[in-house]
Amino acid sequence: MTSEVVIDVRQNEVSIALLEDKNLVEYQTEPRSASFAVGNIYIAKVRKLMAGLNASFVDVGYERDAFLHYLDLGNQFSSYEKYLKQVQSDRKKLYPFAKATRQPDLKKDGSVANTLKKDQEVLVQIVKEPISTKGPRLTCELSFAGRYLVLMPFYDKVSVSTKIKSSEERARLKQLIQSIKPKNVGVIVRTVAEGKRVAELDSELKILMKRWEDAIAKVQRTTTRPQLVYEEESRVVAMLRDLFNPSYENIYVNDEQVFQEVKEYVTLIAPEKAGIVKLYTGNVPIYDNFNITKQIKSSFGKIVNYRHGAYLIIEHTEAMHVVDVNSGNRTKAEKGQEGNALEVNLGAADELARQLRLRDMGGIIIVDFIDMNLAEDRQMLYERMCKNMQKDRARHNILPLSKFGLMQITRQRVRPAMDVNVDEDCPTCFGSGKIKSSILFTDQLEGKIDQLVNKIGVKRFYLHVHPYVAAYINQGLVSLKRRWQMKYGLGVRVIPSQKMGFLQYEFYDDKKQFIDMKEEVETK
């Protein structure tokens, strides 16, 4: 199986796609200015105590207060609380972390009312992004995740991933980390650390320790509350860190600055794989070049077709995600009803496992498969689903089919489900239902080109249009594009883009920056 990562960096957002054998299996997109990301650490104030919930609401700067349960304060909350007071007692000299003393563990059966008070300052980390009407979910058990290790201040244990099966390797890693870790910190050794040398682990441990020290230094220097004191790496690197696998064959990036960031990161964690990071410089949009745009448009939305006319209907509700399996117009008489049902259901299990990763659907998922009478067929379907989900990095639990033919799945949820709107808004009428005659569309484009070249002074630019429109502009020996180039200069370049609607267009300068030439008055 070949695995590739394609990163599309645009002016306002960045998206990352994971391909397995050229098929899109994971997709993430975020605004470049996104805040409240999982892993960010804030110095914040307790806004309200809720004794009935044994929890508190904390102001981290989001429109809704964040939720912090008593059990999420962590065993070492008293140690953090004391050290925070020591740090803030002297604004000129930072109290050394090595001199901090560990306090007794917090009682598990205690109450939030006896532990926190209104307006108290606390160090918190986001563990779940705002979802729907809910604010972020917080913890006081701070952690700094790297490629091989996770650093946890005030925890003195060294834990090794249970996925490392060799007892000799587990003992080696534990002893190694014990010998190099600083005082007052605990370390979790991740699965990918298996077989790594002490120099690599020590280097990452120092990097993580520096992040913690920088966060505390920011707490000491600032008085504004709430205040972001530690932010995850750049959006691309943060998304790539959890996705990255040494088996990747290529990582393509279409932005030079982000390309350098990704290359530095890969060089740091896997120097031998630095060559897989490649800068994409083609004129065709990067997602079009790798056939990702078409896969996104066919894989999202309410109805997903998957095999021989069968399809899934996926609905998102506040409480759960609901999936219905339909055979469509599929009929195969030689296999009979039971055989048809089994084949459709097995295909649905394959596609559903992909959809869960692709949309990052979390929480409760209920799947209504086509009814099957034979117990061995139901067991086969359950085993197929379990096998398909083994590639999923998110924690999940799958129950066998119920007597009603429903399968219940729970999957870890840390951010809202990816819901890409594949319906295209009319780019020319803005919802009014009335447009200029489409035969005049190219005249309108020429007017925009004239304005760009002769009034704004942009001599070199890319015009992105729908592939059908691009074919029309390029047709003929002396094509419309050629006539434009003769009239306005060779800087006029027409690019077919699958992202565009039929009569939609976008202009980009020679640095690939978007030029807004759209005017709603055009449609009046």
Side-chain angles (χ1 to χ4, degrees):
M1 181 178 68
T2 60
S3 297
E4 296 177 310
V5 173
V6 182
I7 301 169
D8 182 19
V9 183
R10 279 173 276 173
Q11 197 164 348
N12 298 319
E13 68 177 18
V14 57
S15 58
I16 183 167
L18 172 60
L19 304 178
E20 292 179 355
D21 291 333
K22 305 297 181 184
N23 292 319
L24 181 66
V25 293
E26 291 197 35
Y27 176 69
Q28 295 181 42
T29 182
E30 290 186 10
R32 296 186 78 172
S33 59
S35 56
F36 306 105
V38 171
N40 286 0
I41 297 176
Y42 290 80
I43 178 75
K45 279 190 176 183
V46 176
R47 175 89 74 175
K48 188 188 299 182
L49 300 176
M50 304 292 289
L53 297 174
N54 202 18
S56 62
F57 287 98
V58 179
D59 177 18
V60 292
Y62 188 65
E63 57 186 295
R64 292 181 180 273
D65 289 339
F67 183 79
L68 176 64
H69 194 273
Y70 174 82
L71 294 177
D72 291 323
L73 293 176
N75 293 336
Q76 307 304 322
F77 179 75
S78 301
S79 302
Y80 278 110
E81 187 178 27
K82 182 176 180 181
Y83 183 54
L84 204 56
K85 289 177 182 176
Q86 292 169 328
V87 165
Q88 297 186 104
S89 64
D90 188 348
R91 296 287 180 187
K92 294 180 180 178
K93 186 178 179 182
L94 183 65
Y95 189 87
F97 180 61
K99 290 186 178 180
T101 54
R102 295 180 66 227
Q103 302 299 305
D105 289 358
L106 202 67
K107 294 179 181 178
K108 290 186 178 180
D109 57 351
S111 73
V112 72
N114 296 331
T115 309
L116 298 176
K117 57 181 182 289
K118 190 174 183 295
D119 293 330
Q120 179 178 342
E121 293 188 2
V122 287
L123 265 177
V124 292
Q125 186 168 31
I126 293 181
V127 292
K128 188 180 286 188
E129 291 180 14
I131 296 175
S132 187
T133 58
K134 300 173 184 175
R137 178 81 184 251
L138 305 177
T139 181
C140 289
E141 296 184 278
L142 306 187
S143 62
F144 296 81
R147 178 66 185 155
Y148 305 122
L149 307 172
V150 178
L151 180 82
M152 301 186 71
F154 288 114
Y155 282 75
D156 212 26
K157 291 182 180 179
V158 175
S159 304
V160 181
S161 167
T162 55
K163 292 182 180 178
I164 299 177
K165 301 300 181 185
S166 168
S167 56
E168 292 84 0
E169 179 63 7
R170 292 173 63 85
R172 181 189 78 88
L173 288 168
K174 197 164 188 175
Q175 186 178 6
L176 190 156
I177 297 299
Q178 286 282 14
S179 66
I180 63 174
K181 81 174 185 67
K183 185 185 175 187
N184 284 336
V185 298
V187 176
I188 298 172
V189 183
R190 305 182 79 172
T191 309
V192 289
E194 187 172 8
K196 297 301 176 185
R197 294 176 291 111
V198 63
E200 295 174 88
L201 301 179
D202 185 47
S203 173
E204 182 166 273
L205 190 58
K206 286 176 180 174
I207 292 170
L208 298 178
M209 196 66 197
K210 178 75 165 52
R211 291 176 186 171
W212 162 239
E213 291 168 351
D214 289 347
I216 283 299
K218 195 166 184 180
V219 171
Q220 182 210 24
R221 290 194 308 268
T222 60
T223 55
T224 307
R225 302 293 184 262
Q227 176 72 48
L228 176 67
V229 296
Y230 168 72
E231 187 171 16
E232 278 281 7
E233 298 121 320
S234 76
R235 310 306 300 170
V236 174
V237 172
M239 288 192 288
L240 183 62
R241 186 189 65 210
D242 294 331
L243 272 178
F244 185 79
N245 189 305
S247 66
Y248 290 162
E249 295 191 357
N250 296 294
I251 299 176
Y252 296 99
V253 192
N254 65 344
D255 180 270
E256 192 157 357
Q257 180 185 343
V258 175
F259 164 75
Q260 293 297 341
E261 290 177 7
V262 172
K263 184 139 189 167
E264 286 173 15
Y265 175 70
V266 174
T267 303
L268 177 68
I269 62 170
E272 72 284 357
K273 303 294 285 186
I276 69 173
V277 185
K278 297 170 183 175
L279 179 64
Y280 176 79
T281 55
N283 288 333
V284 176
I286 188 169
Y287 274 7
D288 287 10
N289 186 68
F290 292 97
N291 196 35
I292 295 172
T293 306
K294 187 174 181 181
Q295 291 193 60
I296 290 173
K297 292 197 174 188
S298 64
S299 298
F300 287 91
K302 180 178 176 180
I303 298 175
V304 179
N305 297 293
Y306 63 91
R307 191 183 296 169
H308 305 304
Y311 59 94
L312 304 177
I313 297 179
I314 302 176
E315 298 270 13
H316 305 287
T317 73
E318 186 74 17
M320 65 184 71
H321 307 280
V322 184
V323 182
D324 186 31
V325 179
N326 288 277
S327 60
N329 56 8
R330 176 193 180 89
T331 54
K332 282 194 176 181
E334 69 273 11
K335 292 193 175 182
Q337 172 61 28
E338 187 72 15
N340 271 338
L342 176 62
E343 193 170 341
V344 170
N345 284 340
L346 291 177
D350 296 341
E351 179 61 28
L352 179 60
R354 172 175 170 264
Q355 286 289 330
L356 294 182
R357 292 174 67 190
L358 188 58
R359 302 183 186 221
D360 201 10
M361 291 160 60
I364 300 172
I365 301 107
I366 304 294
V367 191
D368 181 13
F369 286 101
I370 297 173
D371 290 343
M372 296 184 294
N373 297 321
L374 299 179
E376 56 265 34
D377 287 351
R378 294 194 293 270
Q379 181 63 23
M380 187 188 301
L381 175 61
Y382 171 67
E383 290 173 359
R384 179 76 157 260
M385 195 72 212
C386 292
K387 181 182 178 183
N388 290 337
M389 292 290 285
Q390 286 176 359
K391 297 177 185 175
D392 199 331
R393 291 176 294 107
R395 292 194 304 272
H396 58 270
N397 189 27
I398 306 170
L399 296 182
L401 287 167
S402 72
K403 65 180 181 180
F404 298 120
L406 302 177
M407 180 178 285
Q408 300 172 65
I409 302 172
T410 60
R411 187 175 181 274
Q412 180 186 16
R413 177 167 73 167
V414 295
R415 58 181 62 86
M418 178 66 60
D419 189 15
V420 178
N421 183 12
V422 295
D423 296 329
E424 296 176 351
D425 291 329
C426 176
T428 51
C429 77
F430 299 95
S432 69
K434 294 181 180 179
I435 64 172
K436 286 184 178 179
S437 174
S438 56
I439 197 68
L440 301 177
F441 180 60
T442 53
D443 294 343
Q444 180 183 335
L445 288 180
E446 184 169 354
K448 295 295 180 185
I449 293 171
D450 181 62
Q451 186 179 350
L452 262 181
V453 174
N454 297 322
K455 293 186 179 179
I456 301 177
V458 178
K459 304 293 184 184
R460 298 173 61 84
F461 57 85
Y462 299 91
L463 169 60
H464 287 221
V465 291
H466 189 278
Y468 289 174
V469 177
Y472 174 75
I473 291 173
N474 287 315
Q475 74 171 350
L477 191 61
V478 184
S479 64
L480 189 56
K481 172 188 169 184
R482 185 68 186 140
R483 293 204 298 272
W484 287 346
Q485 288 177 333
M486 290 166 64
K487 186 174 180 180
Y488 301 105
L490 294 175
V492 180
R493 283 162 287 184
V494 178
I495 306 296
S497 173
Q498 296 173 16
K499 188 180 74 171
M500 297 292 105
F502 186 59
L503 294 182
Q504 188 177 7
Y505 62 90
E506 287 181 356
F507 286 92
Y508 292 84
D509 63 20
D510 57 352
K511 294 180 181 176
K512 307 289 179 73
Q513 296 296 309
F514 175 67
I515 306 171
D516 188 1
M517 297 293 292
K518 184 73 69 176
E519 298 175 32
E520 189 167 342
V521 72
E522 293 168 4
T523 66
K524 302 302 183 187

Coordinates of all heavy atoms in Angstrom, one line a residue, residues 71-107:
L71 N -12.6 15.9 38.3 CA -11.7 14.8 38.0 C -10.6 15.2 37.0 O -9.6 14.5 36.8 CB -12.5 13.6 37.5 CG -13.4 12.9 38.5 CD1 -14.2 11.8 37.9 CD2 -12.6 12.4 39.7
D72 N -10.9 16.3 36.2 CA -9.9 16.7 35.2 C -8.9 17.7 35.8 O -8.0 18.1 35.1 CB -10.6 17.4 34.0 CG -11.4 16.4 33.2 OD1 -10.9 15.3 33.0 OD2 -12.5 16.8 32.7
L73 N -9.0 18.0 37.1 CA -8.0 18.8 37.7 C -6.7 18.0 37.8 O -5.6 18.6 37.8 CB -8.4 19.2 39.1 CG -9.6 20.2 39.2 CD1 -10.0 20.4 40.7 CD2 -9.2 21.5 38.5
G74 N -6.7 16.7 37.9 CA -5.5 15.8 37.9 C -5.0 15.6 39.3 O -5.2 16.5 40.2
N75 N -4.2 14.6 39.5 CA -3.6 14.3 40.8 C -2.7 15.4 41.3 O -2.6 15.6 42.5 CB -2.9 12.9 40.8 CG -3.8 11.8 40.5 OD1 -5.0 11.8 40.9 ND2 -3.3 10.7 40.0
Q76 N -2.0 16.0 40.4 CA -1.0 17.0 40.8 C -1.4 18.4 40.8 O -0.6 19.3 40.7 CB 0.2 16.9 39.8 CG 0.7 15.4 39.6 CD 1.2 14.8 40.9 OE1 1.7 15.5 41.8 NE2 0.9 13.6 41.1
F77 N -2.7 18.6 40.9 CA -3.3 20.0 40.9 C -2.7 20.9 42.0 O -2.3 22.0 41.8 CB -4.8 20.0 41.0 CG -5.4 21.4 41.0 CD1 -5.4 22.1 39.8 CD2 -5.8 22.0 42.2 CE1 -6.0 23.4 39.8 CE2 -6.3 23.3 42.2 CZ -6.4 24.0 41.0
S78 N -2.5 20.3 43.2 CA -1.9 21.1 44.3 C -0.5 21.5 44.0 O -0.1 22.6 44.4 CB -2.0 20.2 45.6 OG -3.3 19.8 45.9
S79 N 0.3 20.7 43.3 CA 1.6 21.0 42.9 C 1.6 22.2 42.0 O 2.4 23.2 42.1 CB 2.4 19.8 42.3 OG 2.4 18.7 43.2
Y80 N 0.8 22.2 41.0 CA 0.6 23.3 40.0 C 0.2 24.5 40.7 O 0.7 25.6 40.4 CB -0.4 22.9 38.9 CG 0.1 22.1 37.8 CD1 -0.3 20.7 37.7 CD2 1.0 22.5 36.9 CE1 0.1 19.9 36.6 CE2 1.4 21.8 35.8 CZ 1.0 20.5 35.7 OH 1.4 19.7 34.7
E81 N -0.8 24.4 41.6 CA -1.3 25.6 42.3 C -0.2 26.3 43.1 O -0.1 27.5 43.0 CB -2.4 25.1 43.2 CG -3.2 26.3 43.9 CD -4.3 25.8 44.8 OE1 -4.2 24.6 45.3 OE2 -5.3 26.5 44.9
K82 N 0.6 25.5 43.8 CA 1.7 26.1 44.7 C 2.7 26.8 43.8 O 3.2 27.9 44.0 CB 2.3 25.1 45.6 CG 3.4 25.7 46.5 CD 3.9 24.7 47.5 CE 5.0 25.3 48.3 NZ 5.6 24.4 49.3
Y83 N 3.1 26.0 42.7 CA 4.2 26.5 41.8 C 3.7 27.8 41.1 O 4.5 28.8 40.9 CB 4.6 25.5 40.8 CG 5.7 25.9 39.9 CD1 6.9 26.3 40.4 CD2 5.6 25.8 38.5 CE1 8.0 26.7 39.6 CE2 6.6 26.2 37.7 CZ 7.8 26.7 38.2 OH 8.9 27.1 37.4
L84 N 2.4 27.9 40.7 CA 1.9 29.1 40.1 C 2.0 30.3 41.0 O 2.4 31.4 40.5 CB 0.4 28.8 39.7 CG -0.2 29.6 38.6 CD1 0.6 29.5 37.3 CD2 -1.6 29.2 38.3
K85 N 1.7 30.1 42.3 CA 1.9 31.2 43.2 C 3.3 31.7 43.3 O 3.6 32.9 43.4 CB 1.3 30.8 44.6 CG -0.2 30.6 44.6 CD -0.7 30.2 46.0 CE -2.2 30.0 46.0 NZ -2.7 29.4 47.3
Q86 N 4.3 30.7 43.4 CA 5.7 31.0 43.5 C 6.2 31.8 42.2 O 6.9 32.7 42.3 CB 6.5 29.7 43.6 CG 6.3 29.1 45.0 CD 6.9 27.7 45.1 OE1 6.9 27.0 44.1 NE2 7.3 27.3 46.3
V87 N 5.7 31.4 41.0 CA 6.1 32.0 39.8 C 5.6 33.5 39.7 O 6.3 34.4 39.3 CB 5.5 31.2 38.6 CG1 5.6 32.0 37.3 CG2 6.3 29.9 38.4
Q88 N 4.3 33.7 40.2 CA 3.7 35.0 40.1 C 4.1 35.9 41.2 O 3.8 37.1 41.2 CB 2.2 34.9 40.0 CG 1.8 34.1 38.7 CD 0.3 34.1 38.5 OE1 -0.3 34.8 37.7 NE2 -0.4 33.3 39.3
S89 N 4.8 35.4 42.2 CA 5.2 36.2 43.4 C 6.3 37.2 43.0 O 6.5 38.2 43.7 CB 5.5 35.3 44.6 OG 6.7 34.6 44.2
D90 N 7.1 36.8 42.0 CA 8.2 37.7 41.6 C 8.2 37.8 40.1 O 8.5 36.9 39.4 CB 9.5 37.0 42.1 CG 10.7 37.9 41.9 OD1 10.6 39.0 41.2 OD2 11.8 37.6 42.4
R91 N 7.9 39.1 39.7 CA 7.8 39.3 38.2 C 9.1 39.5 37.5 O 9.2 39.5 36.3 CB 6.9 40.6 37.9 CG 5.5 40.4 38.4 CD 4.7 39.5 37.5 NE 3.3 39.4 37.9 CZ 2.4 38.6 37.4 NH1 2.8 37.8 36.4 NH2 1.2 38.5 37.8
K92 N 10.2 39.6 38.3 CA 11.5 39.9 37.8 C 12.3 38.6 37.6 O 13.1 38.5 36.6 CB 12.3 40.9 38.7 CG 11.6 42.3 38.7 CD 12.4 43.3 39.5 CE 11.7 44.6 39.5 NZ 12.4 45.6 40.4
K93 N 12.2 37.7 38.6 CA 13.1 36.5 38.5 C 12.2 35.3 38.6 O 11.4 35.2 39.5 CB 14.0 36.5 39.7 CG 15.0 35.4 39.7 CD 16.0 35.4 40.9 CE 17.0 34.3 40.8 NZ 17.9 34.3 42.0
L94 N 12.3 34.4 37.6 CA 11.5 33.2 37.5 C 11.9 32.2 38.5 O 13.1 31.8 38.6 CB 11.6 32.6 36.1 CG 10.7 31.4 35.8 CD1 9.3 31.8 35.9 CD2 11.0 30.8 34.4
Y95 N 11.0 31.7 39.3 CA 11.3 30.6 40.3 C 11.6 29.3 39.5 O 10.8 28.9 38.7 CB 10.0 30.4 41.2 CG 10.3 29.5 42.4 CD1 10.8 30.1 43.6 CD2 10.1 28.2 42.3 CE1 11.0 29.3 44.7 CE2 10.3 27.3 43.4 CZ 10.8 27.9 44.6 OH 11.0 27.1 45.7
P96 N 12.8 28.8 39.8 CA 13.2 27.6 39.0 C 12.3 26.4 39.2 O 11.9 26.1 40.3 CB 14.6 27.3 39.6 CG 15.0 28.5 40.3 CD 13.8 29.2 40.8
F97 N 12.0 25.7 38.1 CA 11.1 24.6 38.1 C 11.7 23.4 38.9 O 11.1 22.7 39.6 CB 10.7 24.1 36.7 CG 9.8 22.9 36.7 CD1 8.5 23.0 37.2 CD2 10.2 21.8 36.1 CE1 7.7 21.9 37.2 CE2 9.4 20.6 36.0 CZ 8.1 20.7 36.6
A98 N 13.0 23.3 38.8 CA 13.8 22.2 39.5 C 13.6 22.3 41.0 O 13.7 21.3 41.7 CB 15.2 22.2 39.1
K99 N 13.3 23.6 41.5 CA 13.2 23.7 43.0 C 11.8 23.6 43.5 O 11.5 23.6 44.7 CB 13.7 25.1 43.4 CG 15.2 25.3 43.2 CD 15.6 26.7 43.8 CE 17.1 26.9 43.7 NZ 17.5 28.2 44.2
A100 N 10.8 23.4 42.5 CA 9.4 23.2 42.9 C 9.3 21.9 43.7 O 10.0 20.9 43.4 CB 8.6 23.2 41.7
T101 N 8.4 21.9 44.6 CA 8.1 20.7 45.4 C 6.8 20.1 45.1 O 5.8 20.8 44.9 CB 8.2 21.1 46.9 OG1 7.2 22.1 47.2 CG2 9.6 21.5 47.4
R102 N 6.8 18.8 45.0 CA 5.5 18.1 44.7 C 4.7 18.0 45.9 O 5.2 17.6 47.0 CB 5.8 16.7 44.1 CG 6.5 16.8 42.8 CD 6.8 15.4 42.2 NE 5.6 14.7 41.9 CZ 5.3 13.4 42.2 NH1 6.2 12.7 42.9 NH2 4.2 12.9 41.8
Q103 N 3.4 18.4 45.8 CA 2.5 18.3 46.9 C 1.7 17.0 46.9 O 1.7 16.2 45.9 CB 1.5 19.5 46.7 CG 2.2 20.9 46.7 CD 2.9 21.1 48.0 OE1 2.4 21.1 49.1 NE2 4.2 21.4 47.8
P104 N 1.0 16.7 48.0 CA 0.2 15.4 48.0 C -0.8 15.4 46.9 O -1.3 16.4 46.4 CB -0.5 15.5 49.4 CG 0.4 16.4 50.2 CD 0.9 17.4 49.2
D105 N -1.2 14.2 46.4 CA -2.1 14.0 45.3 C -3.5 14.5 45.7 O -3.9 14.4 46.9 CB -2.2 12.6 44.9 CG -1.0 12.1 44.2 OD1 -0.1 12.9 44.0 OD2 -1.0 10.9 43.8
L106 N -4.2 15.1 44.8 CA -5.6 15.5 45.0 C -6.5 14.3 45.2 O -6.4 13.3 44.6 CB -6.1 16.3 43.8 CG -7.3 17.3 44.0 CD1 -6.8 18.4 44.8 CD2 -7.7 17.8 42.6
K107 N -7.4 14.4 46.2 CA -8.3 13.3 46.5 C -9.3 13.1 45.4 O -9.9 14.0 44.8 CB -9.1 13.6 47.8 CG -8.2 13.6 49.0 CD -9.0 13.9 50.3 CE -8.2 14.0 51.5 NZ -9.0 14.3 52.7

